[in-house]
Amino acid sequence: MAKRVGIEVSIAVAEAVRLADVDVVPAYPITPQTHIVEHLSEFVANGELDAEFIPVESEHAAMSCCCGSSAAGARTFTSSSSQGLSLMSEILYHPGPMRLPIVMVVANRALAAPISIWNDHQDIMVQRDIGWIQTFAENGQDAFDLTLHAFRVAEDRRVSLPMIVNIDGFTLSHVIEPIEILSKEEVGRFLPPFKPRFRLDTKKPISIGPVGVPEVYTEAKVAHNEALKASKRVIVQAWKEFANLFGRQYNPVETYRSEDAEVILVTMGSISETAMTAVDAMRDAGQKVGLVRIRLWRPFPGPEFKKAIGKAGVLAVIDRCLPPGAVCGPVGAELRSLFYKVPGAPKIFSFVAGLGGRDVTVDRFKEIVEKARTYAKRRPVENYEVIGVREQ
Amino acid sequence: MIPEFEKFKGFSAKNLPKDEPLASGHRACQGCGEVLALRMVMKALGREVIVCNATGCMEIITTPFPQTAWNVPWIHVAFENAAAVASGVEAGRKVLMRKGRIPKRHIDILAVGGDGATGDIGLQWISGAFERGHDLLYVCLDNEAYMNTGIQRSGCTPYGAMTTTSPPGKESFGQVTWKKNIPAIMAAHGIPYVATASPAYYLDLMNKVKKAALVKGPAYVHIYSPCPTGWGSAGDKSVEYARLAVETKVFPLYEVIEGRYIISRKITKPKPVSDYLKGQRRFRHLTDEQISYIQNRVDTEYEKIVKLAEMS
Ligand SMILES: Cc1ncc(C[n+]2csc(CCOP(=O)(O)OP(=O)(O)O)c2C)c(N)n1
Ligand code: SF4
């Protein structure tokens, strides 16, 4: 039976990985991801998890090891963050087209310089196009549930793709929350054992990762893209099944008091919880404000997003990433391109907030909504705006 | 002594395996010493092996999709990380066997890369794998430059050699550094087995590879691999150069078994280094003075190995 316990979110993630009976965990520490891999190595040391914990010499090696163990047919997990994720970057592009269902939890953190261990989404936005399925957790329960969901989806033979669960560093990874931890039997009902589509086996030799000559490279890329897009059906189906079994429903795009909203805030990750509080406060003050949270970032759920915003005329999109020299924040840009030349499209305003651990408070959300309302009447000078910059 | 070696009788001209785990029809240049060495490696290992290949000539010439020259399971991920990929394969198989999800059966894990993949960019990944003690075999096919990208220098390029990034000119005589001693770096990890080999001594090569595979834990074999394209040497001379490199003491053959150095072929009547240098376009520009510097240094380096062997 599921048990609700007060537990640090990182430990809950490690619990999910243990309950998934993972086979191989190559890992390299980086704040704020450390607690996850520390707990996994403890489980292995105590005999609570029968797995190979591989203390590699770098994140690049961690992901390389993951490729090897996944190709050998083993259920494979790792976790990283920020500079570590960047060091992995070269290898992150491999498991997608190679169809290796590795699962990774990323404790999102800012990128240097200046060095910062605190939360924002710059690390994962750099890796936007690596071709993994990507979800975002809002709270500890999400982090636990989505980790189990990731194994289920990634390893589904119709999918066979790597998957990242994003959890905000510190603001999520290091807080203690009441989380319902599923029992082994319950997890067993949701997550079948990993039966790989193919594996490195001398009884049936195959070559994985050959050269893509110009005659086949495009086709390989298209096949990967198609597989990623098609995975959405399985992602949603697995969430439905999860809801049937355990009562918690997840969706590619989720809404909060958005039905009749004029202005909609768009968020990803843990700031969505503060955003809900802000929406309540603004609703109490008689403002028609709602919230749309993007849970599934890749593949991007376009139709679901369009449906979710209803008839709202104004979207205030919050990015926790400042791409230097770009026209707009990455989520803002994604949505502007989604609505490009769509009749009756909402006005989209892009805001950057919460960089390097700066809090995004209820008041900040109010400020953003106010600005969005003003800009809807009088076009803003800039394509996006960084919120809460101190003047001196 | 390593117990696994006792069972192994060794290959001889009479019992050479006929099977070719690396099939012909690949796209290597004529006279390629790397592919010749790799073919012998695979003959020695047989088909119960999983190959993790680094990016480089051997990966490119064997797998232009949809073709593959590999009759054994093979994976390539990137340039520098073959050892880490192999670590993952080894760990994955180990845990799956322990959990009873795949049959308990020993399969060799071979990681293979060029001198660039091994001695330069990949050193960290190999070091990590060796430190962790994975049961795998790493083979370096050393053609003394980055051939796949068009003959640039590597840390294994010999002193004085011309490459596209160590060109001789008014201010330069080619590669200015001495060849990096990769086998010594590998041996410094304290792994059970390190060896150097050459395709000119094919039985020695195959026996060393087989021994490396028999060893429990990490093992390393550094194979000298002539490259007519990169060296500017005749395609039919590769085996000859491979032999000359040994006979001139340029590339000594030895084993390091549990830290003990054993010279496989003592060179008592060495040929002059100039015999080896001449005929290779990459050394054509060298002056007599430079050649005599190389001769001295080669002798000194060889003496070091002899001393190490005597001390063992
Ligand atoms: C990270 C990275 N840097 C550079 C390259 C380009 N590259 C591919 S193969 C190669 C040289 C390979 O040389 P070596 O390992 O000596 O093998 P060879 O081709 O000579 O057999 C280089 C530089 C790459 N693929 N990846
Ligand atoms: S360039 Fe050299 S190493 Fe590469 S295939 Fe040709 S001969 Fe072999």
Side-chain angles (χ1 to χ4, degrees), chain A residues 21-23 50 52 54 57-58 60 64-65 68-69 90-91 94 199 202-203 205-211, chain B residues 47-48 63 65 68 71 74-77 80-81 84-85 88-89 91 98-99 101-102 105 107 124-125 132:
Chain A
D21 193 20
V22 74
D23 298 314
D50 185 6
E52 287 294 308
I54 312 179
E57 82 292 341
S58 76
H60 192 291
S64 307
C65 250
S69 66
E90 187 207 6
I91 308 307
H94 286 85
R199 68 152 52 112
T202 52
K203 291 266 185 282
I206 49 166
S207 295
I208 308 177
V211 188
Chain B
R47 295 211 182 197
E48 289 300 293
T63 66
F65 187 86
T68 179
N71 283 318
W74 177 94
I75 183 170
H76 157 257
V77 181
E80 61 290 311
N81 66 352
V85 175
V89 172
R98 188 165 72 223
K99 291 182 174 181
R101 296 229 303 277
I102 57 173
R105 203 152 52 88
I107 290 179
Q124 171 197 307
W125 288 258
R132 294 188 298 271

Side-chain angles (χ1 to χ4, degrees), chain B residues 27-35 56-58 61 143 147-148 151 225-231:
Chain B
R27 300 181 185 191
C29 313
Q30 271 187 26
C32 172
E34 279 208 349
V35 86
C57 271
M58 292 306 100
I61 60 109
N143 57 16
M147 297 312 176
N148 184 49
I151 325 167
S225 309
C227 165
T229 310
W231 295 6

Side-chain angles (χ1 to χ4, degrees), chain A residues 157-354:
Chain A
R157 285 176 171 222
R158 293 165 295 175
V159 177
S160 239
L161 286 171
M163 191 153 168
I164 287 173
V165 178
N166 288 285
I167 68 169
D168 284 317
F170 288 117
T171 51
L172 209 52
S173 63
H174 282 54
V175 297
I176 294 174
E177 287 188 19
I179 297 172
E180 200 176 291
I181 304 290
L182 299 174
S183 69
K184 190 96 196 150
E185 297 72 55
E186 284 168 321
V187 169
R189 265 183 271 152
F190 177 68
L191 180 63
F194 176 32
K195 292 217 175 71
R197 255 165 80 160
F198 53 83
R199 68 152 52 112
L200 293 166
D201 182 4
T202 52
K203 291 266 185 282
K204 197 170 171 251
I206 49 166
S207 295
I208 308 177
V211 188
V213 291
E215 288 72 27
V216 301
Y217 183 84
T218 307
E219 285 66 25
K221 286 301 191 190
V222 169
H224 172 214
N225 185 35
E226 292 302 322
L228 190 65
K229 287 194 288 186
S231 71
K232 199 171 77 187
R233 224 165 39 91
V234 181
I235 295 166
V236 172
Q237 201 180 29
W239 271 332
K240 278 216 182 87
E241 216 173 293
F242 191 90
N244 290 340
L245 285 169
F246 312 120
R248 287 186 294 277
Q249 174 72 57
Y250 296 93
N251 297 296
V253 179
E254 285 157 9
T255 58
Y256 184 71
R257 302 184 80 171
S258 63
E259 299 75 38
D260 59 340
E262 290 159 0
V263 182
I264 284 183
L265 285 164
V266 181
T267 56
M268 287 201 313
S270 66
I271 62 164
S272 309
E273 301 232 312
T274 321
M276 285 191 246
T277 313
V279 166
D280 287 342
M282 287 183 271
R283 282 273 175 184
D284 287 349
Q287 297 189 48
K288 287 193 171 169
V289 177
L291 174 70
V292 168
R293 298 115 66 201
I294 299 170
R295 174 156 319 277
L296 179 64
W297 172 232
R298 285 289 181 272
F300 191 80
E304 290 85 348
F305 188 89
K306 282 180 178 155
K307 201 161 149 234
I309 62 149
K311 295 211 162 31
V314 177
L315 301 187
V317 186
I318 298 154
D319 260 295
R320 278 185 277 163
C321 171
L322 177 59
V327 180
C328 184
V331 185
E334 191 93 10
L335 296 178
R336 279 180 174 153
S337 105
L338 178 70
F339 284 103
Y340 182 65
K341 287 201 168 164
V342 172
K347 290 181 170 156
I348 301 175
F349 303 107
S350 167
F351 299 92
V352 171

Side-chain angles (χ1 to χ4, degrees), chain A residues 35-49 53:
Chain A
H35 290 184
I36 298 174
V37 296
E38 281 170 4
H39 277 90
L40 284 168
S41 76
E42 232 173 84
F43 289 147
V44 174
N46 293 335
E48 295 166 88
L49 170 63
F53 183 87

